mmCIF file of all heavy atoms in Angstrom:
data_model
loop_
_atom_site.group_PDB
_atom_site.id
_atom_site.type_symbol
_atom_site.label_atom_id
_atom_site.label_comp_id
_atom_site.label_asym_id
_atom_site.label_seq_id
_atom_site.Cartn_x
_atom_site.Cartn_y
_atom_site.Cartn_z
ATOM 1 N N LYS R 1 -79.550 -57.706 14.007
ATOM 2 C CA LYS R 1 -78.595 -57.488 15.097
ATOM 3 C C LYS R 1 -77.176 -57.709 14.589
ATOM 4 O O LYS R 1 -76.967 -58.361 13.565
ATOM 5 C CB LYS R 1 -78.887 -58.455 16.247
ATOM 6 C CG LYS R 1 -80.273 -58.295 16.856
ATOM 7 C CD LYS R 1 -80.503 -59.325 17.949
ATOM 8 C CE LYS R 1 -81.896 -59.167 18.562
ATOM 9 N NZ LYS R 1 -82.147 -60.192 19.614
ATOM 10 N N PRO R 2 -76.164 -57.210 15.317
ATOM 11 C CA PRO R 2 -74.773 -57.486 14.937
ATOM 12 C C PRO R 2 -74.507 -58.994 14.980
ATOM 13 O O PRO R 2 -75.061 -59.715 15.806
ATOM 14 C CB PRO R 2 -73.950 -56.751 16.000
ATOM 15 C CG PRO R 2 -74.866 -55.705 16.527
ATOM 16 C CD PRO R 2 -76.240 -56.291 16.477
ATOM 17 N N VAL R 3 -73.675 -59.463 14.082
ATOM 18 C CA VAL R 3 -73.342 -60.880 13.997
ATOM 19 C C VAL R 3 -71.820 -61.040 13.921
ATOM 20 O O VAL R 3 -71.159 -60.321 13.170
ATOM 21 C CB VAL R 3 -74.002 -61.536 12.767
ATOM 22 C CG1 VAL R 3 -73.428 -62.922 12.496
ATOM 23 C CG2 VAL R 3 -75.512 -61.631 12.949
ATOM 24 N N ARG R 4 -71.301 -61.966 14.719
ATOM 25 C CA ARG R 4 -69.875 -62.285 14.666
ATOM 26 C C ARG R 4 -69.669 -63.456 13.709
ATOM 27 O O ARG R 4 -70.284 -64.508 13.865
ATOM 28 C CB ARG R 4 -69.357 -62.646 16.055
ATOM 29 C CG ARG R 4 -67.855 -62.991 16.083
ATOM 30 C CD ARG R 4 -67.439 -63.444 17.470
ATOM 31 N NE ARG R 4 -67.531 -62.367 18.427
ATOM 32 C CZ ARG R 4 -66.534 -61.531 18.726
ATOM 33 N NH1 ARG R 4 -65.366 -61.659 18.123
ATOM 34 N NH2 ARG R 4 -66.700 -60.574 19.617
ATOM 35 N N VAL R 5 -68.796 -63.264 12.731
ATOM 36 C CA VAL R 5 -68.488 -64.304 11.752
ATOM 37 C C VAL R 5 -67.032 -64.711 11.895
ATOM 38 O O VAL R 5 -66.139 -63.862 11.862
ATOM 39 C CB VAL R 5 -68.754 -63.813 10.310
ATOM 40 C CG1 VAL R 5 -68.365 -64.890 9.307
ATOM 41 C CG2 VAL R 5 -70.213 -63.417 10.133
ATOM 42 N N SER R 6 -66.795 -65.992 12.059
ATOM 43 C CA SER R 6 -65.433 -66.527 12.108
ATOM 44 C C SER R 6 -65.104 -67.083 10.730
ATOM 45 O O SER R 6 -65.696 -68.068 10.295
ATOM 46 C CB SER R 6 -65.325 -67.625 13.164
ATOM 47 O OG SER R 6 -65.569 -67.106 14.458
ATOM 48 N N TYR R 7 -64.161 -66.459 10.074
ATOM 49 C CA TYR R 7 -63.839 -66.852 8.711
ATOM 50 C C TYR R 7 -62.468 -67.539 8.681
ATOM 51 O O TYR R 7 -61.655 -67.397 9.616
ATOM 52 C CB TYR R 7 -63.832 -65.621 7.801
ATOM 53 C CG TYR R 7 -62.853 -64.546 8.224
ATOM 54 C CD1 TYR R 7 -61.539 -64.544 7.746
ATOM 55 C CD2 TYR R 7 -63.232 -63.545 9.108
ATOM 56 C CE1 TYR R 7 -60.644 -63.577 8.131
ATOM 57 C CE2 TYR R 7 -62.342 -62.579 9.506
ATOM 58 C CZ TYR R 7 -61.043 -62.600 9.017
ATOM 59 O OH TYR R 7 -60.142 -61.640 9.426
ATOM 60 N N PRO R 8 -62.164 -68.307 7.652
ATOM 61 C CA PRO R 8 -60.886 -69.020 7.575
ATOM 62 C C PRO R 8 -59.692 -68.067 7.666
ATOM 63 O O PRO R 8 -59.684 -67.001 7.045
ATOM 64 C CB PRO R 8 -60.950 -69.700 6.199
ATOM 65 C CG PRO R 8 -62.401 -69.853 5.927
ATOM 66 C CD PRO R 8 -63.048 -68.642 6.529
ATOM 67 N N ARG R 9 -58.709 -68.460 8.438
ATOM 68 C CA ARG R 9 -57.549 -67.598 8.672
ATOM 69 C C ARG R 9 -56.807 -67.264 7.385
ATOM 70 O O ARG R 9 -56.229 -66.174 7.259
ATOM 71 C CB ARG R 9 -56.601 -68.278 9.664
ATOM 72 C CG ARG R 9 -55.448 -67.390 10.094
ATOM 73 C CD ARG R 9 -54.573 -68.095 11.098
ATOM 74 N NE ARG R 9 -53.523 -67.235 11.576
ATOM 75 C CZ ARG R 9 -52.575 -67.627 12.417
ATOM 76 N NH1 ARG R 9 -52.578 -68.874 12.880
ATOM 77 N NH2 ARG R 9 -51.639 -66.790 12.816
ATOM 78 N N LYS R 10 -56.817 -68.194 6.431
ATOM 79 C CA LYS R 10 -56.073 -67.948 5.192
ATOM 80 C C LYS R 10 -56.728 -66.876 4.313
ATOM 81 O O LYS R 10 -56.141 -66.450 3.317
ATOM 82 C CB LYS R 10 -55.922 -69.249 4.413
ATOM 83 C CG LYS R 10 -57.228 -69.885 3.978
ATOM 84 C CD LYS R 10 -56.966 -71.207 3.268
ATOM 85 C CE LYS R 10 -58.269 -71.892 2.847
ATOM 86 N NZ LYS R 10 -58.011 -73.187 2.177
ATOM 87 N N TRP R 11 -57.930 -66.484 4.667
ATOM 88 C CA TRP R 11 -58.537 -65.378 3.935
ATOM 89 C C TRP R 11 -57.857 -64.083 4.377
ATOM 90 O O TRP R 11 -57.840 -63.755 5.566
ATOM 91 C CB TRP R 11 -60.038 -65.292 4.227
ATOM 92 C CG TRP R 11 -60.850 -66.400 3.593
ATOM 93 C CD1 TRP R 11 -60.391 -67.562 3.052
ATOM 94 C CD2 TRP R 11 -62.276 -66.417 3.457
ATOM 95 N NE1 TRP R 11 -61.433 -68.317 2.587
ATOM 96 C CE2 TRP R 11 -62.610 -67.640 2.826
ATOM 97 C CE3 TRP R 11 -63.299 -65.541 3.808
ATOM 98 C CZ2 TRP R 11 -63.924 -68.002 2.532
ATOM 99 C CZ3 TRP R 11 -64.608 -65.898 3.522
ATOM 100 C CH2 TRP R 11 -64.917 -67.111 2.884
ATOM 101 N N ASN R 12 -57.350 -63.348 3.409
ATOM 102 C CA ASN R 12 -56.620 -62.114 3.706
ATOM 103 C C ASN R 12 -57.505 -60.907 3.424
ATOM 104 O O ASN R 12 -57.559 -60.403 2.308
ATOM 105 C CB ASN R 12 -55.339 -62.039 2.880
ATOM 106 C CG ASN R 12 -54.381 -63.161 3.220
ATOM 107 O OD1 ASN R 12 -54.123 -63.422 4.395
ATOM 108 N ND2 ASN R 12 -53.869 -63.843 2.197
ATOM 109 N N LEU R 13 -58.194 -60.458 4.465
ATOM 110 C CA LEU R 13 -59.120 -59.338 4.317
ATOM 111 C C LEU R 13 -58.354 -58.033 4.523
ATOM 112 O O LEU R 13 -58.401 -57.397 5.567
ATOM 113 C CB LEU R 13 -60.264 -59.462 5.335
ATOM 114 C CG LEU R 13 -61.414 -60.415 4.990
ATOM 115 C CD1 LEU R 13 -60.935 -61.826 4.768
ATOM 116 C CD2 LEU R 13 -62.475 -60.393 6.088
ATOM 117 N N ASN R 14 -57.647 -57.632 3.491
ATOM 118 C CA ASN R 14 -56.737 -56.502 3.635
ATOM 119 C C ASN R 14 -57.353 -55.154 3.307
ATOM 120 O O ASN R 14 -56.952 -54.134 3.852
ATOM 121 C CB ASN R 14 -55.507 -56.712 2.746
ATOM 122 C CG ASN R 14 -54.663 -57.893 3.197
ATOM 123 O OD1 ASN R 14 -54.635 -58.207 4.379
ATOM 124 N ND2 ASN R 14 -53.988 -58.545 2.252
ATOM 125 N N GLN R 15 -58.318 -55.136 2.424
ATOM 126 C CA GLN R 15 -58.852 -53.855 1.947
ATOM 127 C C GLN R 15 -60.365 -53.913 1.813
ATOM 128 O O GLN R 15 -60.903 -54.850 1.225
ATOM 129 C CB GLN R 15 -58.226 -53.509 0.581
ATOM 130 C CG GLN R 15 -58.754 -52.221 -0.038
ATOM 131 C CD GLN R 15 -58.276 -52.023 -1.466
ATOM 132 O OE1 GLN R 15 -57.548 -52.855 -2.002
ATOM 133 N NE2 GLN R 15 -58.670 -50.923 -2.080
ATOM 134 N N ILE R 16 -61.047 -52.918 2.348
ATOM 135 C CA ILE R 16 -62.502 -52.837 2.178
ATOM 136 C C ILE R 16 -62.821 -52.151 0.850
ATOM 137 O O ILE R 16 -62.406 -51.019 0.612
ATOM 138 C CB ILE R 16 -63.155 -52.048 3.323
ATOM 139 C CG1 ILE R 16 -62.963 -52.763 4.656
ATOM 140 C CG2 ILE R 16 -64.644 -51.868 3.050
ATOM 141 C CD1 ILE R 16 -63.566 -52.026 5.821
ATOM 142 N N LEU R 17 -63.540 -52.857 0.015
ATOM 143 C CA LEU R 17 -63.983 -52.274 -1.254
ATOM 144 C C LEU R 17 -65.359 -51.647 -1.133
ATOM 145 O O LEU R 17 -65.701 -50.713 -1.860
ATOM 146 C CB LEU R 17 -64.010 -53.343 -2.342
ATOM 147 C CG LEU R 17 -62.686 -54.028 -2.690
ATOM 148 C CD1 LEU R 17 -62.916 -55.091 -3.753
ATOM 149 C CD2 LEU R 17 -61.668 -52.998 -3.173
ATOM 150 N N PHE R 18 -66.171 -52.199 -0.214
ATOM 151 C CA PHE R 18 -67.561 -51.731 -0.097
ATOM 152 C C PHE R 18 -68.117 -52.116 1.259
ATOM 153 O O PHE R 18 -67.860 -53.210 1.761
ATOM 154 C CB PHE R 18 -68.422 -52.375 -1.192
ATOM 155 C CG PHE R 18 -69.898 -52.143 -1.050
ATOM 156 C CD1 PHE R 18 -70.475 -50.983 -1.522
ATOM 157 C CD2 PHE R 18 -70.717 -53.097 -0.431
ATOM 158 C CE1 PHE R 18 -71.848 -50.764 -1.395
ATOM 159 C CE2 PHE R 18 -72.073 -52.887 -0.298
ATOM 160 C CZ PHE R 18 -72.649 -51.709 -0.773
ATOM 161 N N SER R 19 -68.851 -51.194 1.857
ATOM 162 C CA SER R 19 -69.657 -51.486 3.034
ATOM 163 C C SER R 19 -70.991 -50.781 2.868
ATOM 164 O O SER R 19 -71.029 -49.571 2.613
ATOM 165 C CB SER R 19 -68.970 -51.005 4.318
ATOM 166 O OG SER R 19 -69.895 -50.990 5.402
ATOM 167 N N SER R 20 -72.068 -51.522 3.001
ATOM 168 C CA SER R 20 -73.391 -50.911 2.850
ATOM 169 C C SER R 20 -73.696 -49.956 3.994
ATOM 170 O O SER R 20 -74.631 -49.159 3.901
ATOM 171 C CB SER R 20 -74.476 -51.994 2.757
ATOM 172 O OG SER R 20 -74.507 -52.769 3.947
ATOM 173 N N LYS R 21 -72.902 -50.023 5.075
ATOM 174 C CA LYS R 21 -73.050 -49.100 6.201
ATOM 175 C C LYS R 21 -71.950 -48.037 6.199
ATOM 176 O O LYS R 21 -71.729 -47.339 7.194
ATOM 177 C CB LYS R 21 -73.024 -49.874 7.519
ATOM 178 C CG LYS R 21 -74.228 -50.811 7.713
ATOM 179 C CD LYS R 21 -75.528 -50.025 7.738
ATOM 180 C CE LYS R 21 -76.731 -50.917 8.013
ATOM 181 N NZ LYS R 21 -76.849 -51.333 9.411
ATOM 182 N N ASN R 22 -71.254 -47.957 5.063
ATOM 183 C CA ASN R 22 -70.231 -46.923 4.847
ATOM 184 C C ASN R 22 -69.066 -46.984 5.834
ATOM 185 O O ASN R 22 -68.460 -45.972 6.151
ATOM 186 C CB ASN R 22 -70.860 -45.517 4.878
ATOM 187 C CG ASN R 22 -71.839 -45.305 3.749
ATOM 188 O OD1 ASN R 22 -71.605 -45.731 2.623
ATOM 189 N ND2 ASN R 22 -72.969 -44.671 4.051
ATOM 190 N N ARG R 23 -68.756 -48.172 6.319
ATOM 191 C CA ARG R 23 -67.542 -48.303 7.132
ATOM 192 C C ARG R 23 -66.339 -48.205 6.200
ATOM 193 O O ARG R 23 -66.362 -48.686 5.072
ATOM 194 C CB ARG R 23 -67.536 -49.637 7.866
ATOM 195 C CG ARG R 23 -68.534 -49.668 9.010
ATOM 196 C CD ARG R 23 -68.125 -50.684 10.041
ATOM 197 N NE ARG R 23 -68.560 -52.032 9.690
ATOM 198 C CZ ARG R 23 -68.381 -53.081 10.485
ATOM 199 N NH1 ARG R 23 -67.761 -52.940 11.644
ATOM 200 N NH2 ARG R 23 -68.801 -54.275 10.115
ATOM 201 N N ASN R 24 -65.262 -47.635 6.708
ATOM 202 C CA ASN R 24 -64.086 -47.468 5.865
ATOM 203 C C ASN R 24 -62.975 -48.419 6.300
ATOM 204 O O ASN R 24 -63.147 -49.244 7.193
ATOM 205 C CB ASN R 24 -63.593 -46.014 5.888
ATOM 206 C CG ASN R 24 -63.293 -45.536 7.301
ATOM 207 O OD1 ASN R 24 -62.738 -46.280 8.106
ATOM 208 N ND2 ASN R 24 -63.661 -44.295 7.603
ATOM 209 N N ALA R 25 -61.841 -48.283 5.683
ATOM 210 C CA ALA R 25 -60.745 -49.220 5.896
ATOM 211 C C ALA R 25 -60.087 -49.092 7.255
ATOM 212 O O ALA R 25 -59.195 -49.870 7.577
ATOM 213 C CB ALA R 25 -59.695 -49.035 4.799
ATOM 214 N N SER R 26 -60.504 -48.157 8.071
ATOM 215 C CA SER R 26 -59.812 -47.916 9.342
ATOM 216 C C SER R 26 -60.209 -48.901 10.444
ATOM 217 O O SER R 26 -59.493 -49.062 11.412
ATOM 218 C CB SER R 26 -60.091 -46.489 9.826
ATOM 219 O OG SER R 26 -61.468 -46.326 10.115
ATOM 220 N N PHE R 27 -61.372 -49.593 10.301
ATOM 221 C CA PHE R 27 -61.759 -50.470 11.401
ATOM 222 C C PHE R 27 -60.988 -51.791 11.329
ATOM 223 O O PHE R 27 -60.660 -52.290 10.265
ATOM 224 C CB PHE R 27 -63.271 -50.690 11.446
ATOM 225 C CG PHE R 27 -63.810 -51.778 10.565
ATOM 226 C CD1 PHE R 27 -63.897 -53.082 11.041
ATOM 227 C CD2 PHE R 27 -64.254 -51.512 9.289
ATOM 228 C CE1 PHE R 27 -64.425 -54.080 10.251
ATOM 229 C CE2 PHE R 27 -64.773 -52.514 8.501
ATOM 230 C CZ PHE R 27 -64.857 -53.804 8.975
ATOM 231 N N GLU R 28 -60.613 -52.320 12.499
ATOM 232 C CA GLU R 28 -59.756 -53.495 12.573
ATOM 233 C C GLU R 28 -60.579 -54.772 12.770
ATOM 234 O O GLU R 28 -61.672 -54.740 13.321
ATOM 235 C CB GLU R 28 -58.750 -53.355 13.717
ATOM 236 C CG GLU R 28 -57.781 -52.194 13.514
ATOM 237 C CD GLU R 28 -56.756 -52.122 14.643
ATOM 238 O OE1 GLU R 28 -56.857 -52.936 15.584
ATOM 239 O OE2 GLU R 28 -55.873 -51.262 14.560
ATOM 240 N N LEU R 29 -59.998 -55.883 12.351
ATOM 241 C CA LEU R 29 -60.617 -57.182 12.513
ATOM 242 C C LEU R 29 -59.957 -57.906 13.677
ATOM 243 O O LEU R 29 -58.739 -57.915 13.804
ATOM 244 C CB LEU R 29 -60.460 -58.020 11.246
ATOM 245 C CG LEU R 29 -60.908 -57.370 9.938
ATOM 246 C CD1 LEU R 29 -60.620 -58.299 8.778
ATOM 247 C CD2 LEU R 29 -62.376 -57.040 10.000
ATOM 248 N N GLU R 30 -60.776 -58.494 14.532
ATOM 249 C CA GLU R 30 -60.233 -59.264 15.635
ATOM 250 C C GLU R 30 -59.704 -60.593 15.117
ATOM 251 O O GLU R 30 -60.299 -61.217 14.257
ATOM 252 C CB GLU R 30 -61.320 -59.506 16.692
ATOM 253 C CG GLU R 30 -61.897 -58.220 17.263
ATOM 254 C CD GLU R 30 -63.044 -58.512 18.217
ATOM 255 O OE1 GLU R 30 -63.046 -59.595 18.815
ATOM 256 O OE2 GLU R 30 -63.924 -57.655 18.337
ATOM 257 N N LYS R 31 -58.554 -61.020 15.657
ATOM 258 C CA LYS R 31 -57.914 -62.244 15.201
ATOM 259 C C LYS R 31 -57.896 -63.300 16.304
ATOM 260 O O LYS R 31 -57.760 -62.982 17.485
ATOM 261 C CB LYS R 31 -56.466 -61.960 14.766
ATOM 262 C CG LYS R 31 -56.339 -60.941 13.640
ATOM 263 C CD LYS R 31 -56.728 -61.521 12.310
ATOM 264 C CE LYS R 31 -56.481 -60.517 11.175
ATOM 265 N NZ LYS R 31 -56.840 -61.067 9.873
ATOM 266 N N GLU R 32 -58.061 -64.558 15.912
ATOM 267 C CA GLU R 32 -57.859 -65.675 16.808
ATOM 268 C C GLU R 32 -56.805 -66.584 16.194
ATOM 269 O O GLU R 32 -56.278 -66.308 15.118
ATOM 270 C CB GLU R 32 -59.177 -66.423 17.054
ATOM 271 C CG GLU R 32 -60.198 -65.590 17.816
ATOM 272 C CD GLU R 32 -61.471 -66.383 18.113
ATOM 273 O OE1 GLU R 32 -61.581 -67.524 17.634
ATOM 274 O OE2 GLU R 32 -62.325 -65.842 18.824
ATOM 275 N N LEU R 33 -56.490 -67.702 16.860
ATOM 276 C CA LEU R 33 -55.413 -68.562 16.391
ATOM 277 C C LEU R 33 -55.712 -69.138 15.011
ATOM 278 O O LEU R 33 -54.883 -69.080 14.108
ATOM 279 C CB LEU R 33 -55.169 -69.697 17.397
ATOM 280 C CG LEU R 33 -54.496 -69.285 18.710
ATOM 281 C CD1 LEU R 33 -54.385 -70.493 19.631
ATOM 282 C CD2 LEU R 33 -53.113 -68.703 18.461
ATOM 283 N N ASP R 34 -56.878 -69.726 14.846
ATOM 284 C CA ASP R 34 -57.195 -70.417 13.595
ATOM 285 C C ASP R 34 -58.142 -69.634 12.694
ATOM 286 O O ASP R 34 -58.304 -69.972 11.536
ATOM 287 C CB ASP R 34 -57.815 -71.780 13.888
ATOM 288 C CG ASP R 34 -56.833 -72.680 14.631
ATOM 289 O OD1 ASP R 34 -55.643 -72.648 14.276
ATOM 290 O OD2 ASP R 34 -57.274 -73.386 15.555
ATOM 291 N N THR R 35 -58.788 -68.663 13.238
ATOM 292 C CA THR R 35 -59.740 -67.886 12.432
ATOM 293 C C THR R 35 -59.612 -66.415 12.752
ATOM 294 O O THR R 35 -59.067 -66.009 13.769
ATOM 295 C CB THR R 35 -61.196 -68.307 12.720
ATOM 296 O OG1 THR R 35 -61.519 -67.980 14.073
ATOM 297 C CG2 THR R 35 -61.391 -69.797 12.487
ATOM 298 N N GLY R 36 -60.167 -65.620 11.835
ATOM 299 C CA GLY R 36 -60.348 -64.210 12.126
ATOM 300 C C GLY R 36 -61.803 -64.004 12.459
ATOM 301 O O GLY R 36 -62.661 -64.745 12.002
ATOM 302 N N ASP R 37 -62.085 -63.024 13.252
ATOM 303 C CA ASP R 37 -63.471 -62.711 13.588
ATOM 304 C C ASP R 37 -63.841 -61.362 12.992
ATOM 305 O O ASP R 37 -63.080 -60.399 13.102
ATOM 306 C CB ASP R 37 -63.677 -62.653 15.102
ATOM 307 C CG ASP R 37 -63.904 -64.037 15.699
ATOM 308 O OD1 ASP R 37 -63.794 -65.002 14.931
ATOM 309 O OD2 ASP R 37 -64.180 -64.129 16.893
ATOM 310 N N LEU R 38 -64.994 -61.336 12.399
ATOM 311 C CA LEU R 38 -65.519 -60.091 11.840
ATOM 312 C C LEU R 38 -66.903 -59.864 12.418
ATOM 313 O O LEU R 38 -67.747 -60.757 12.373
ATOM 314 C CB LEU R 38 -65.594 -60.190 10.310
ATOM 315 C CG LEU R 38 -66.306 -59.064 9.572
ATOM 316 C CD1 LEU R 38 -65.576 -57.751 9.780
ATOM 317 C CD2 LEU R 38 -66.408 -59.383 8.087
ATOM 318 N N ILE R 39 -67.112 -58.698 12.989
ATOM 319 C CA ILE R 39 -68.433 -58.362 13.516
ATOM 320 C C ILE R 39 -69.152 -57.499 12.485
ATOM 321 O O ILE R 39 -68.721 -56.378 12.186
ATOM 322 C CB ILE R 39 -68.334 -57.635 14.864
ATOM 323 C CG1 ILE R 39 -67.665 -58.539 15.900
ATOM 324 C CG2 ILE R 39 -69.731 -57.216 15.327
ATOM 325 C CD1 ILE R 39 -67.479 -57.886 17.253
ATOM 326 N N LEU R 40 -70.227 -58.047 11.979
ATOM 327 C CA LEU R 40 -71.026 -57.330 10.981
ATOM 328 C C LEU R 40 -72.132 -56.545 11.660
ATOM 329 O O LEU R 40 -72.763 -57.028 12.610
ATOM 330 C CB LEU R 40 -71.655 -58.322 9.999
ATOM 331 C CG LEU R 40 -70.698 -59.130 9.121
ATOM 332 C CD1 LEU R 40 -71.468 -60.214 8.371
ATOM 333 C CD2 LEU R 40 -69.981 -58.225 8.128
#
């Protein structure tokens, strides 16, 4: 199932190098105050 991951805010996820589901760099990451959220 899809999973939401809250990762440290200081991680700068600027560029997608690889997605096993072929997602490209156009999808956005949701941001919170202290963390970013990524839905896998």
Side-chain angles (χ1 to χ4, degrees):
K1 299 178 180 179
V3 168
R4 180 184 293 269
V5 177
S6 296
Y7 58 90
R9 187 178 184 183
K10 62 183 179 181
W11 288 14
N12 297 312
L13 279 58
N14 294 330
Q15 178 189 0
I16 296 179
L17 299 178
F18 171 84
S19 165
S20 62
K21 294 298 183 75
N22 296 320
R23 287 204 277 184
N24 57 40
S26 64
F27 85 89
E28 296 182 357
L29 308 177
E30 301 175 28
K31 301 285 185 179
E32 294 183 354
L33 288 177
D34 297 320
T35 65
D37 277 5
L38 171 63
I39 298 178
L40 296 171

